Amino acid sequence: MKLLSRNKQRTHTMHDRLVWQAASLLLAYPDENLSRRLDTVDDLLGHLDEPARKLLGQTAERLRSYETLNAAIDYVETFDMRRRATMYLTYWTAGDTRNRGREMLAFANVYRDAGVEPPGGEAPDYLPVVLEFAATVDPEAGRRVLVEHRTPIDVLGKALVDAQSPYRHVVAAVCMTLPAATDQDLRRAQRLAQAGPPAEAVGLQPFTLTVPPKRGSA
């Protein structure tokens, strides 16, 4: 029985890792490598169960229907023009404050503890980076980080649903790999969405990182 339980757990973990990898690829900025990433997502979908396969497939299908330029424009409008839809997780837990620097350092330390360096071209709390880490490096540490930041992910998911964004299906699939949100989680997410991120205390210089980030012209 214990062996069956361990095998079931390994299968469950592998399925979640495949979801996280596909989600990371779908949530990345749609550059000239978009078509190649979508081919990889299609391969991953063949190993997934429903409803994750359907959710991720809906987003992949929509992205395939776009020209790369249009996909980039939609991405910028979705994630860069709506603060509630930012994928920088510490923005919702620390805002533009000095605490955010410490929280991002904590993300970087999780990566280093797993034997990898934080990405050089992106912030360590960027959701696609966290998902790739969870999928390919350390699934247990990655799951723990995702669970700890469930509320920002819920805020993001709600913003994407409100905008009827095709990316909403990706976040929904990610949430299905995490423990169900409690009533307290849902209330906290609702308060956070209404009140916005924490602000710097009076008299302190804020930690400055543009959120959403400024991208080059699509």
Side-chain angles (χ1 to χ4, degrees):
M1 293 296 292
K2 288 184 178 179
L3 179 60
L4 289 176
S5 178
R6 286 196 295 270
N7 287 338
K8 184 176 181 180
Q9 183 177 7
R10 281 197 293 268
T11 300
H12 176 74
T13 299
M14 180 55 67
H15 187 271
D16 289 350
R17 292 177 73 173
L18 293 172
V19 170
W20 296 334
Q21 181 65 84
S24 176
L25 293 170
L26 290 170
L27 291 175
Y29 182 76
D31 56 17
E32 65 277 3
N33 295 315
L34 175 60
S35 179
R36 188 182 310 164
R37 288 201 299 268
L38 291 176
D39 288 342
T40 302
V41 170
D42 286 345
D43 291 339
L44 294 170
L45 294 182
H47 300 281
L48 293 178
D49 298 330
E50 300 292 357
R53 178 167 54 195
K54 180 178 180 180
L55 287 168
L56 295 166
Q58 286 178 295
T59 303
E61 182 178 3
R62 177 64 72 86
L63 290 178
R64 279 204 184 277
S65 72
Y66 289 156
E67 295 290 339
T68 302
L69 176 60
N70 292 335
I73 291 172
D74 179 70
Y75 188 94
V76 169
E77 290 178 347
T78 299
F79 297 111
D80 291 8
M81 301 303 178
R82 296 183 178 96
R83 287 191 171 231
R84 281 181 58 207
T86 181
M87 289 194 284
Y88 291 86
L89 300 180
T90 64
Y91 178 68
W92 288 106
T93 56
D96 282 328
T97 72
R98 289 180 178 178
N99 289 336
R100 187 162 178 220
R102 290 195 292 270
E103 291 195 15
M104 285 203 292
L105 179 60
F107 273 84
N109 287 337
V110 170
Y111 301 154
R112 293 191 178 103
D113 288 344
V116 297
E117 284 298 311
E122 191 52 85
D125 65 330
Y126 187 51
L127 181 57
V129 171
V130 179
L131 290 168
E132 183 174 357
F133 169 79
T136 64
V137 179
D138 190 330
E140 294 310 312
R143 186 190 303 277
R144 184 168 61 251
V145 171
L146 291 168
V147 170
E148 289 172 353
H149 293 81
R150 174 63 189 260
T151 297
I153 294 172
D154 284 337
V155 173
L156 168 63
K158 178 63 165 57
L160 296 176
V161 169
D162 290 346
Q164 285 298 289
S165 167
Y167 293 103
R168 70 188 186 277
H169 306 302
V170 181
V171 176
V174 170
C175 287
M176 290 181 62
T177 68
L178 308 177
T182 65
D183 290 341
Q184 183 178 3
D185 292 333
L186 295 174
R187 287 194 297 269
R188 185 182 174 207
Q190 184 178 24
R191 289 197 300 269
L192 204 54
Q194 292 174 345
E200 185 66 75
V202 174
L204 295 179
Q205 292 298 317
F207 177 81
T208 55
L209 177 68
T210 302
V211 177
K214 293 180 179 179
R215 299 183 187 274
S217 173

